[in-house]
Each structure stands twice: as C-alpha cells, then as structure tokens.
Amino acid sequence: MPFRLTDDQRELRDELRTFTDEEVIPVASTLDHAGTYPNGILSGLADRGVTGLTIGESYGGRGQGNVELVVTIEELSAGLMSVGAALALHLGVAAAVEEFGTERQRDEYLPEMARFETVGALGLSEENAGSDKTAMETRAERDGSGWSLTGHKQWVTNVREADVVLLYAKTGPEDDAPENVSAFLVPTDDLSVAHEWDAIGGDSVPTARVEFEDLHVPDDRMVGQQGTALTDRRELTGGVNLPARAVGIARASLDVAVVYAGEREQFGQPIGEFQGVEWRLAEMAERVETARLLTLRAAEAADRGDADAGTLTSMAKVHATEAAVENASDAMDVHGGVGFTSEYPVERYFRDAKLLTVAGGPNDVHRNTVADAVSSE
C-alpha cells in the first residue's frame, strides 16, 4: 500500500487538525465533564461538509473513502474522542442506507444526513446479544402492511440527539441464523429510553438502553432484503473508525507528555532529559506510528475491496486500542500526581482509550478473527 497520503488527504488532515485545535480542544474538558453533546462542533463539521464525508456526492456528500475517514476520525479524536465517535456512528448508519437501502430511502435520508439535519444511531446490541448478535431477542412480526417490533437495544449511542435508529430484529426462525435478522429505520421518537449509563468514558456522547413493544414499522422502512441484515453488515467497512479513534488518543497522549516533560523540572532539569522519561516517550511514539500504519493499511485494503480487509481491521483495532491505553497510562505517569486530576486531559485519554478496547466488539473477539484467518491460510 502507498503509506504516503495524497495531497488531498494531507489537505483534509490539515483542515481537521486546525479545526480540532481551534474548535474542539478548548472546550473538550468542559464537554466531557459536563456530559454535554458536542452539537456546536458537529454543526461546524456539517458546515465544512465533513458530516457527509463518506456519503456519495450524488446525495450531497463528499464521496470519500476509508482512508479519508481514518484521517478525519484520528484528528477529531485527538481533541475529544466523543466527537470522532458521534461522527463515525452517524456515517456508519448512512453507509448502511447507501449500500443496502432502496433508492427512495437513499433520496429521503442521505442528503439530510450529509448536512447533519437527520442524525443516525445504531440499534444492534442487546443485553444478551453483545459479541454474539445471533442471540438477539428483539423480534419483528408481520403486521398488515408492515412489521410489529418488540424488544430492546442496548448501547444505543447518539440516541438522545439522533433522529433515526437503524434497528435490527429477527424476522425469521432460529434455524435460519444468521440469515434471520432484518434492519429497519425507526424514528427515535418511537423508542423509550429505559436507562442511560453513567459511563467512565465517552461522556459527551452518552449511550442508552431503549425499549419498544408492538411498534409498527412500515414495510418501506426495511433496509436491505428480509433476513440478510447481519450478513450485510460484513460488507460494511467503516469499522476502521475504531482504531482511528484510538490512534488519535495515543497521539494526543504523546503530545501532552512531551510538552509536560519539557516544562516540568525536578533535580535542576526538565524531567524529559532523564533517560527513563526519554525512553518512555520514544516507546509512545513507536506505538502511535505502528497503530496508525496498521489502521491506514486496513482502510486502504477496505477501499480496494481486499478480501483481507476485515482481518486487517481486527488487527488494527486490537493493536491501536491497546496502544492508546498504554500511551494514556504512560502520559499519566509522566505527569505524576496531576495526571490523575481533571486539570489535565490525560485522565480523559485513559478513560476513553479503555472504552475502545470493548467498543465495536471486545479485543479478544477480534483476536479470534485474526487467529481464524491465520489458521485458514
């Protein structure tokens, strides 16, 4: 793969880095500790066309690929991971509509999603269907000209601000699994928020459990063919956003550690001049570079339609999220006691990084994906 970004990709990176420095970092701590959704930031991204980054140009988006998605999410997550998460989840729903929806659905939803006037959320996981989505209990039964949905969804991020949820439900018998699940576009107003978690990470974009009973959904809200929703998801490649978020955190952790090590003096010299700190910073830099290269490689493979893209994404997800945890932990150590306070961002980096080792599937599940691929070679 060409590991050097193109001129256009570097221009995008620089645009988002400037935006993050000016619009995200100054308010990141306030938003995080108040648990406030970054509406203003996302509106600014909408003004720049970023909320339609991977949506096709014919629907008002920028029509860009996974490499551009990775570049964008890294830059935003270096400022506040929740911003990267909110944008990536929204674009993931749009990708499903564009890839599997009807032309009518694409015309109705995608232009407004590109402008962030319609915000998407994902309703996939359940209390007993985390890594194993075939265990979901939500069912959709035929109801005249539509479907009647009963069940719940857990970890529905963005739901408070979203307009529509891409909600998955079983429409066929258990023996047909995994080809017994369908996806529906459901207005958030039709869902009841039963519980909102007070999580230790990603506080600006809270996640909730939603419930519904005998919810009527018209036939024309089904996205894709009946029973194919889980298998369809395997064709979506936006999962590279997760390691990209982690790369952003890992890089931000390194950046603040370098600054603090140059400013903080002990025993008559900056602590960054002690070899133990120098080596720690060097290891942090190595983690950032290897995590970024793995993530870009996975993104480029996905853009090419490479059969190994899913395996590469799992590799990147494991490596990058664990690199982010290690870098955030090292940054806290470099900062000493103040690193454990909210006066500095490193404690947020650690909380957000640890969340990413679970989000999008626990890392051990992704290790299984890689192991299966290796064993089958």
Side-chain angles (χ1 to χ4, degrees), residues 58-135:
S58 59
Y59 301 106
R62 291 171 69 157
Q64 298 188 314
N66 284 291
V67 172
E68 288 82 5
L69 177 65
V70 162
V71 167
T72 296
I73 298 301
E74 176 189 334
E75 294 304 326
L76 295 173
S77 297
L80 180 61
M81 192 278 290
S82 293
V83 175
L87 176 61
L89 289 165
H90 169 75
L91 289 173
V93 173
V97 174
E98 187 164 5
E99 184 71 19
F100 307 114
T102 64
E103 190 59 44
R104 179 180 175 183
Q105 289 169 346
R106 292 193 287 267
D107 288 338
E108 179 180 351
Y109 286 99
L110 293 179
E112 290 191 356
M113 294 186 81
R115 297 191 297 269
F116 212 63
E117 294 170 1
T118 291
V119 180
L122 178 64
L124 180 58
S125 296
E126 296 180 6
E127 184 174 355
N128 296 317
S131 301
D132 181 10
K133 298 300 188 294
T134 63

Side-chain angles (χ1 to χ4, degrees), residues 247 283 285-296 319-320 323:
V247 174
E283 289 174 353
E286 290 170 9
R287 291 188 199 117
V288 172
E289 290 302 315
T290 54
R292 181 184 288 122
L293 289 173
L294 265 176
T295 303
L296 284 171
H319 182 81

Side-chain angles (χ1 to χ4, degrees), residues 341-355:
T341 71
S342 59
E343 296 298 313
Y344 288 82
V346 288
E347 58 85 25
R348 182 179 80 246
Y349 298 157
F350 185 82
R351 290 186 283 109
D352 286 351
K354 190 62 181 173
L355 168 63

Side-chain angles (χ1 to χ4, degrees), residues 70 239-248 291 295 298 313 316-318 320-321 356:
V70 162
V240 290
N241 85 84
L242 268 156
R245 289 187 242 169
V247 174
T295 303
T313 298
K317 199 271 184 181
V318 172
T321 57
L356 294 180

Side-chain angles (χ1 to χ4, degrees), residues 64-375:
Q64 298 188 314
N66 284 291
V67 172
E68 288 82 5
L69 177 65
V70 162
V71 167
T72 296
I73 298 301
E74 176 189 334
E75 294 304 326
L76 295 173
S77 297
L80 180 61
M81 192 278 290
S82 293
V83 175
L87 176 61
L89 289 165
H90 169 75
L91 289 173
V93 173
V97 174
E98 187 164 5
E99 184 71 19
F100 307 114
T102 64
E103 190 59 44
R104 179 180 175 183
Q105 289 169 346
R106 292 193 287 267
D107 288 338
E108 179 180 351
Y109 286 99
L110 293 179
E112 290 191 356
M113 294 186 81
R115 297 191 297 269
F116 212 63
E117 294 170 1
T118 291
V119 180
L122 178 64
L124 180 58
S125 296
E126 296 180 6
E127 184 174 355
N128 296 317
S131 301
D132 181 10
K133 298 300 188 294
T134 63
M136 72 172 60
E137 298 167 357
T138 296
R139 293 207 60 86
E141 304 289 348
R142 265 297 179 188
D143 178 20
S145 61
W147 298 84
S148 178
L149 276 61
T150 296
H152 79 279
K153 290 297 167 182
Q154 199 142 288
W155 315 121
V156 186
T157 307
N158 259 8
V159 69
R160 289 290 190 188
E161 303 295 330
D163 301 290
V164 65
V165 176
L166 184 64
L167 196 151
Y168 290 70
K170 284 184 175 174
T171 53
E174 297 296 332
D175 290 345
D176 290 346
E179 295 188 347
N180 63 340
V181 175
S182 303
F184 302 86
L185 288 166
V186 178
T188 51
D189 290 344
D190 292 344
L191 306 174
S192 173
V193 176
H195 182 72
E196 193 169 299
W197 277 274
D198 183 12
I200 66 169
D203 287 350
S204 291
V205 186
T207 188
R209 173 188 172 110
V210 299
E211 297 177 350
F212 39 92
E213 184 174 358
D214 298 328
L215 172 62
H216 180 77
V217 180
D219 249 343
D220 62 5
R221 299 297 92 176
M222 180 183 286
V223 178
Q225 299 300 310
Q226 181 179 336
T228 66
L230 284 186
T231 52
D232 285 346
R233 285 197 66 79
R234 297 172 189 168
E235 298 181 29
L236 298 175
T237 56
V240 290
N241 85 84
L242 268 156
R245 289 187 242 169
V247 174
I249 294 174
R251 193 191 86 210
S253 298
L254 170 63
D255 290 346
V256 296
V258 168
V259 170
Y260 189 82
E263 295 174 346
R264 173 68 169 170
E265 291 191 4
Q266 289 289 277
F267 304 103
Q269 68 183 64
I271 62 172
E273 294 181 5
F274 291 102
Q275 190 175 66
V277 176
E278 288 179 324
W279 284 8
R280 179 169 289 192
L281 295 175
E283 289 174 353
M284 293 172 71
E286 290 170 9
R287 291 188 199 117
V288 172
E289 290 302 315
T290 54
R292 181 184 288 122
L293 289 173
L294 265 176
T295 303
L296 284 171
R297 185 183 180 205
E300 193 270 345
D303 284 338
R304 283 190 291 107
D306 195 313
D308 293 333
T311 301
L312 292 170
T313 298
S314 287
M315 286 183 182
K317 199 271 184 181
V318 172
H319 182 81
T321 57
E322 293 182 359
V325 171
E326 292 179 51
N327 271 21
S329 178
D330 280 349
M332 292 175 77
D333 288 344
V334 169
H335 281 72
V338 297
F340 290 81
T341 71
S342 59
E343 296 298 313
Y344 288 82
V346 288
E347 58 85 25
R348 182 179 80 246
Y349 298 157
F350 185 82
R351 290 186 283 109
D352 286 351
K354 190 62 181 173
L355 168 63
L356 294 180
T357 65
V358 178
N363 280 1
D364 284 351
V365 172
H366 287 277
R367 285 188 173 92
N368 286 341
T369 299
V370 176
D372 290 344
V374 171
S375 299

